[in-house]
Amino acid sequence: MGRLGTSSMLWAMTMALGGTVTLRASTAPPGSSSPTATNVREASWDGRERRGDSGAVAYGSAAGKSPVVFSDGFEDAGSLADLFPPDLTRWTELQRQPAENVVELSSEQVRSGTRALKCSARPYDGHVASKADIGRSGLSFVGGDETWIELWLYIVGGHPLGSVFLLDLEAPGTCTSAGACPGKGAGDICTSPGRRLYLSGPSGDWLKSDLGKWCLGKDFYQPAGAGKSLPTDRWVRLRLHVRFSALTDGIMQVWQDDDLVIDARGMTLPRADAVCDRLQVGITANGNEEAATTLFLDDVTVWRMAPWWFQERGPLRGLTTLPYDLSQQAIEDTYDFIAGNADLIAFHLDDRVPWPEALAGDDQYHRNVVSEIDTMVENIPPGHRIFVSTTPQSTARAGELASYWSWSDGLPLPTGWESKTLDDPEVIAAFTNWCRYLIRRFHPDFFAYAIECNGGFTGLGDPAYHQFLVLARQVYATLKAEHPSLPVILTVQVGSFVAGGEGFLDLTASLLELSDYVAVSAYPYLLPDPDELLTFGDPAGIPEDLFSRIAGLAPGKRFAVAETGYIAETLDIPELQIHQEGRESWQAAYLRWLFGECQQLGAELVVWFVARDHDLMNETLQKMGVPLAPAHLLWRDTGLLDGQGNPRPALRIWRHEPRPPRRPLHRPQPMP
């Protein structure tokens, strides 16, 4: 919104208070206790180290609040034993067979956080299966149940991978009836059968599934001639959907990154009365006689209800972490609301860059900076997509550098930086390093390196525009070279106070050349224009081409709404000469219009900026004697919840509006 950009509210809150108020959401991640090494028992005769009764598993703090059954990223563990707490909220089983095999916490390869699980298994000796895996019991899936699983694997390459088993869904103690499997013997056979995922195929690197340790049930293959090799020496995301059945109506679907590689129907349970109680991941068996195998495992999540990535629901729906008050409770409530009402969490790091520290390139930032980012990372809801936004520009969205972030944000630029321009080599180097740091910390699914970047330039002839262009070209090229599959984005406004008409569109089109998506910022109850501030109450008056004219500037790119909102109460700011009627029904009507536009334009995501109105924030600031900047009021009444936390009609639309099928996630190709 031009010089009244989105970050004005954030700036008003922090600067009015003379600095940052650091609020940390309390977390109690599963397994936060630290058991001793004696909690992990010695291997039994079959090589499996067991602990606890698999029927006595509590599902941790997520139970009753979300569809997540279990989630672990291997953080908050000082040793391997810490993954097996007495309360059974983390892992329950470990296999190392023979004893020389390795299962350990490691920082050699990490997908997120600081640790992953390393599994190394010797070659198969022709007699006893070689295993190095970790397991979770107590899942209790029966016929008719469904589960969804996501995990990340990094397999060390350079050797054959055929017959390496990666995941088992087992029904322990399930027995065949006498004589049911003649080839296995005449009596009952009691094992731990279940669906297994392993590597096979012409080159030994295609994912395949069998109903292991059972004489019935067909194998599930990739399509002949169209299989996809599992990459090595990089992180790969695996997702599974299983519908449990002992009949032919069972389902197993497997996604390798964004590609559906197995889509099969058939038996997924060995018997109608079987209970799939155990998940094992890692190297559940190395059947390869030629080479040892090493892999790293990270970010394992199991759902009992369909997560966002399975539901064909149109655009991802995201919310920012902006709280409704300066309190611990407000922070916790906001993260809880995001967990239950969004697919995506948006971190909006606007107008704050640790300039000199970033230039040093050693990731040694002020403890306040690190603490705030720690809080954000620690509180990402399991399974949510992550959108991180930062910018080198100030809230004027022109040539001024973003404020300094150190012991507080919103600080004046350090000595020597106040005269620098965006095309200064040190500015470019510092901002590039800052982007790299954020990507390493958050592992985002979407990354914006500039926010509303077209809002303050007067046109293509603006010297500040050319300075920004120098920076953007270098930052974009560097990030794409280092992260070719990460959508790297700059966001743009749909209007400007200082540029209009064809000049504004030409300016915007030139900037979109340096973005993988067309990502817009729009609050259409107020639309900036060089001649006047256009205001709308009833969204029926919003220009029909508000989004499509911007999307049309780069027709080959995916569309996204990077931030938006709409007032549900009357907006009255005499200092800015703004008086605009607002109604809850109009907010709901805007949301319906928004989703219609997203459908027409094939939007990948939409972010609603304010979860709950900021009435309590204003009251707190007034009690503290802090004067409110007029811009602080612009977004006060745009929440999906009102000031008292009551749901507005728009929230029901946000949650339940029918969503058209969403196209597969666009992954930009590496730059030539």
Side-chain angles (χ1 to χ4, degrees):
M1 298 184 64
R3 297 184 181 275
L4 299 175
T6 307
S7 62
S8 296
M9 179 163 57
L10 296 171
W11 180 87
M13 286 188 285
T14 55
M15 290 302 292
L17 293 170
T20 298
V21 177
T22 301
L23 300 170
R24 180 177 295 274
S26 63
T27 56
S32 56
S33 59
S34 299
T36 64
T38 57
N39 288 101
V40 181
R41 298 178 179 173
E42 292 300 318
S44 61
W45 64 270
D46 63 351
R48 178 174 291 122
E49 301 174 35
R50 300 186 182 276
R51 56 169 313 281
D53 177 359
S54 64
V57 173
Y59 289 126
S61 61
K65 292 184 61 176
S66 78
V68 175
V69 173
F70 174 70
S71 183
D72 202 339
F74 304 104
E75 304 299 316
D76 305 304
S79 67
L80 185 67
D82 291 345
L83 297 179
F84 303 88
D87 59 3
L88 303 177
T89 51
R90 297 187 85 165
W91 302 92
T92 58
E93 301 178 6
L94 178 68
Q95 291 192 115
R96 286 183 294 206
Q97 179 181 286
E100 292 80 9
N101 285 353
V102 174
V103 179
E104 63 184 12
L105 292 170
S106 173
S107 58
E108 293 177 51
Q109 299 292 340
V110 176
R111 191 262 159 182
S112 68
T114 60
R115 289 191 176 97
L117 191 74
K118 180 179 181 179
C119 302
S120 296
R122 299 177 65 180
Y124 177 46
D125 63 5
H127 302 285
V128 179
S130 180
K131 301 172 181 283
D133 65 71
I134 196 165
R136 167 75 184 206
S137 293
L139 302 180
S140 300
F141 292 115
V142 299
D145 285 347
E146 294 181 83
T147 188
W148 293 260
I149 301 170
E150 178 178 280
L151 57 95
W152 290 79
L153 290 176
Y154 185 108
I155 300 180
V156 178
H159 55 80
L161 295 174
S163 300
V164 175
F165 289 73
L166 305 172
L167 179 148
D168 294 5
L169 281 167
E170 294 188 339
T174 303
C175 304
T176 66
S177 57
C181 299
K184 301 291 185 179
D188 291 355
I189 303 171
C190 299
T191 58
S192 298
R195 275 287 157 191
R196 304 187 296 186
L197 189 67
Y198 65 102
L199 292 169
S200 182
S203 301
D205 56 3
W206 290 11
L207 290 172
K208 177 184 174 182
S209 172
D210 70 353
L211 192 62
K213 308 173 190 175
W214 201 247
C215 58
L216 304 174
K218 65 180 182 180
D219 293 351
F220 296 156
Y221 300 88
Q222 297 192 42
K228 290 185 177 294
S229 297
L230 188 73
T232 58
D233 299 317
R234 75 166 177 86
W235 285 102
V236 179
R237 183 185 62 222
L238 297 184
R239 287 173 171 160
L240 291 83
H241 167 226
V242 179
R243 182 182 187 276
F244 293 99
S245 175
L247 304 175
T248 58
D249 60 344
I251 296 173
M252 186 170 189
Q253 296 173 296
V254 181
W255 288 262
Q256 178 179 304
D257 289 328
D258 294 307
D259 297 315
L260 179 62
V261 294
I262 295 176
D263 189 5
R265 304 295 184 272
M267 289 179 63
T268 52
L269 275 180
R271 292 169 53 115
D273 59 353
V275 179
C276 180
D277 197 62
R278 182 163 62 220
L279 167 69
Q280 295 174 322
V281 288
I283 305 173
T284 64
N286 184 11
N288 192 310
E289 299 183 28
E290 299 182 48
T293 298
T294 297
L295 62 79
F296 298 86
L297 175 71
D298 209 349
D299 297 330
V300 181
T301 304
V302 181
W303 289 266
R304 191 177 292 274
M305 296 173 59
W308 68 264
W309 51 261
F310 180 77
Q311 302 174 33
E312 296 182 349
R313 305 194 316 169
L316 297 169
R317 303 189 184 190
L319 294 165
T320 73
T321 58
L322 188 66
Y324 60 85
D325 196 7
L326 298 178
S327 69
Q328 182 72 25
Q329 189 63 51
I331 289 284
E332 294 177 5
D333 288 349
T334 300
Y335 277 101
D336 285 346
F337 187 77
I338 293 170
N341 295 278
D343 310 310
L344 175 147
I345 185 168
F347 296 102
H348 198 77
L349 304 177
D350 196 357
D351 193 31
R352 43 176 164 168
V353 177
W355 290 109
E357 293 86 350
L359 179 61
D362 56 5
D363 289 352
Q364 298 300 307
Y365 296 104
H366 191 279
R367 62 180 179 274
N368 173 64
V369 175
V370 176
S371 176
E372 286 201 42
I373 292 177
D374 285 346
T375 298
M376 297 174 192
V377 172
E378 290 166 4
N379 289 281
I380 296 172
H384 275 48
R385 299 296 286 275
I386 303 166
F387 182 15
V388 175
S389 301
T390 186
T391 184
Q393 296 172 284
S394 73
T395 57
R397 309 305 192 208
E400 300 90 348
L401 268 61
S403 300
Y404 178 44
W405 189 11
S406 179
W407 59 268
S408 171
D409 57 6
L411 296 173
L413 291 170
T415 301
W417 288 83
E418 65 273 11
S419 60
K420 290 184 181 294
T421 55
L422 290 170
D423 60 350
D424 186 295
E426 290 192 343
V427 170
I428 296 172
F431 188 68
T432 302
N433 288 338
W434 177 236
C435 291
R436 287 167 165 158
Y437 176 74
L438 293 177
I439 292 171
R440 285 196 297 272
R441 292 301 313 276
F442 286 95
H443 294 274
D445 297 283
F446 309 91
F447 184 79
Y449 70 98
I451 299 171
E452 300 176 332
C453 64
N454 61 340
F457 300 129
T458 59
L460 294 176
D462 190 335
Y465 157 76
H466 290 282
Q467 294 166 0
F468 176 82
L469 207 59
V470 172
L471 177 146
R473 285 171 175 160
Q474 294 188 41
V475 172
Y476 179 70
T478 299
L479 297 183
K480 290 307 300 180
E482 295 176 356
H483 304 279
S485 63
L486 173 66
V488 177
I489 301 165
L490 50 76
T491 77
V492 296
Q493 297 180 177
V494 296
S496 168
F497 287 114
V498 295
E502 293 300 318
F504 172 76
L505 295 178
D506 291 343
L507 169 72
T508 303
S510 68
L511 293 169
L512 289 175
E513 295 177 4
L514 301 172
S515 178
D516 292 332
Y517 284 26
V518 178
V520 301
S521 169
Y523 300 84
Y525 56 95
L526 300 174
L527 288 179
D529 183 84
D531 298 324
E532 60 179 329
L533 178 65
L534 304 176
T535 60
F536 300 92
D538 186 344
I542 295 175
E544 293 182 0
D545 65 347
L546 181 69
F547 290 161
S548 61
R549 71 172 187 148
I550 304 298
L553 299 175
K557 297 185 177 184
R558 297 298 298 273
F559 182 75
V561 180
E563 53 180 286
T564 192
Y566 210 84
I567 54 172
E569 300 177 29
T570 296
L571 180 64
D572 193 5
I573 311 178
E575 299 90 336
L576 300 179
Q577 299 180 346
I578 294 175
H579 177 81
Q580 179 57 56
E581 183 181 0
R583 301 178 187 175
E584 289 187 345
S585 61
W586 286 347
Q587 184 192 53
Y590 168 68
L591 202 48
R592 289 194 183 93
W593 177 87
L594 175 67
F595 286 142
E597 289 297 294
C598 287
Q599 178 179 357
Q600 292 295 322
L601 297 172
E604 185 65 43
L605 62 91
V606 56
V607 175
W608 194 268
F609 200 73
V610 176
R612 174 173 166 176
D613 286 0
H614 292 100
D615 300 65
L616 292 179
M617 175 79 73
N618 294 350
E619 293 175 9
T620 298
L621 294 175
Q622 289 172 355
K623 290 177 181 178
M624 297 172 68
V626 178
L628 293 178
H632 179 85
L633 303 175
L634 287 172
W635 297 268
R636 180 191 61 192
D637 298 313
T638 61
L640 298 173
L641 304 174
D642 66 18
Q644 288 70 49
N646 300 313
R648 287 196 165 110
L651 179 58
R652 181 174 181 81
I653 297 169
W654 177 261
R655 287 173 171 169
H656 303 298
E657 183 77 2
R659 309 186 187 192
R662 184 162 57 88
R663 292 179 286 174
L665 177 64
H666 171 68
R667 289 296 186 190
Q669 297 300 309
M671 295 182 64

